[in-house]
Amino acid sequence: MFYPRKMFSILSGTILRNYSAVFFLALVTTLTSYGQEVGTTPYKSQEVSDVDGLPVLVKHLPDWENRRQTTAFATNTDELRRALGDRPLLEAIEFAPGTEAATAQYDEGRLLIVEHASPQVSIEADQKIAAAIAANDDGKTYNRRIGNYNVVLFDATGSWSASSLIDQVKYEKDIQWLGKNPFAISAERAFVMTTADIFFSTMMVIVGGAVSAVLAGLVIGYFFFFFRDGKRNTMTAYSDAGGMTRLNLDGFSEDISSERLLRD
């Protein structure tokens, strides 16, 4: 027999299940796309601002808010060439892991900041950049090492304006050590201070040991003297035999009691 109510119930359940699946799929797709929009940034930087998603290095450019139209961020040589053009100096800049660069156009010239992961790499890069500038000296390129930054100004309008612009670049990253900062003083000064501490500690141990020995000798001698003096005071007569039995030839020793003599 045909049951309309039962057929309606089956159809309704099927439609509701289909709509539920479609709704769930749409919800997951929306959340996924929203998460991608929020979490994705056009810059692949190791340090990105939580406020606007910009690399922190970009914000270390002088007056970076007003230079956004000419600002470029690079993590490899090709990106840097697209921003600066094919310049011979770029051959001296190597993008090792952790190296990033930011550049912007100013009235004084084109400013480039290259950040390295360690001071050692920054020092080596500074030497290479200085050598490249000396080899291709055009009188319009200036560089300076600031912290882990290598700052280069291309097409400078003058040395004074170049120095003034580079002075505005600040390396504002602080290192917090869990213990004592091992680089707070130079290695030579640390060696001198360590040697002085060892010498002072050794002298303190020697002097302290000598003073302790003298004091201990005085105290022990003091008590020993009074102990022997008290023992001598208990004797009725002096004996150079230390209290042992001796012949009383001089008559100064105490007479030995006959009660304590051995008898036959």
Side-chain angles (χ1 to χ4, degrees), residues 50 52 79 89 92 100 108 148 168 186 204 218 223 226:
D50 296 333
D52 49 17
E79 294 177 354
L89 181 61
E100 300 176 348
E108 296 83 354
N148 286 1
Q168 300 180 39
S186 62
M204 288 297 295
L218 292 175
F223 284 102
F226 279 96

Side-chain angles (χ1 to χ4, degrees), residues 26-214:
L27 180 62
V28 171
T29 304
T30 303
L31 292 176
T32 303
S33 61
Y34 177 76
Q36 291 177 349
E37 292 176 359
V38 173
T40 303
T41 174
Y43 303 100
K44 295 181 180 179
S45 174
Q46 293 187 351
E47 190 174 3
V48 179
S49 174
D50 296 333
V51 179
D52 49 17
L54 289 175
V56 176
L57 182 60
V58 172
K59 295 188 176 183
H60 285 185
L61 290 167
D63 192 25
W64 66 274
E65 296 92 341
N66 299 323
R67 303 292 172 177
R68 291 194 175 188
Q69 298 298 327
T70 61
T71 299
F73 179 78
T75 56
N76 54 65
T77 305
D78 294 336
E79 294 177 354
L80 194 58
R81 289 184 186 278
R82 286 196 294 267
L84 298 177
D86 191 7
R87 300 176 184 264
L89 181 61
L90 300 184
E91 298 293 337
I93 301 177
E94 298 179 2
F95 281 85
T99 302
E100 300 176 348
T103 178
Q105 183 65 43
Y106 296 85
D107 297 336
E108 296 83 354
R110 185 79 185 188
L111 184 67
L112 170 66
I113 300 178
V114 181
E115 181 181 10
H116 298 279
S118 66
Q120 291 78 9
V121 179
S122 178
I123 292 173
E124 294 177 0
D126 182 67
Q127 296 173 352
K128 294 179 180 179
I129 292 173
I133 293 177
N136 302 278
D137 189 13
D138 57 358
K140 297 182 179 181
T141 305
Y142 298 86
N143 75 300
R144 185 187 304 173
R145 177 176 173 265
I146 304 175
N148 286 1
Y149 292 164
N150 293 115
V151 184
V152 182
L153 182 64
F154 299 96
D155 307 327
T157 56
S159 60
W160 184 87
S161 59
S163 178
S164 177
L165 179 61
I166 294 176
D167 287 340
Q168 300 180 39
V169 179
K170 306 296 181 182
Y171 187 77
E172 300 176 346
K173 297 183 179 181
D174 297 329
I175 299 176
Q176 296 182 355
W177 300 91
L178 297 178
K180 185 178 179 181
N181 184 1
F183 303 105
I185 56 178
S186 62
E188 293 79 6
R189 182 173 175 80
F191 175 77
V192 172
M193 293 178 64
T194 303
T195 305
D197 291 340
I198 294 175
F199 178 78
F200 180 76
S201 301
T202 304
M203 291 300 299
M204 288 297 295
V205 170
I206 295 174
V207 174
V211 172
S212 300
V214 171

Side-chain angles (χ1 to χ4, degrees), residues 236-250:
T236 57
Y238 175 75
S239 172
D240 58 0
M244 295 186 298
T245 301
R246 62 187 293 274
L247 296 176
N248 189 15
L249 300 177
D250 51 11

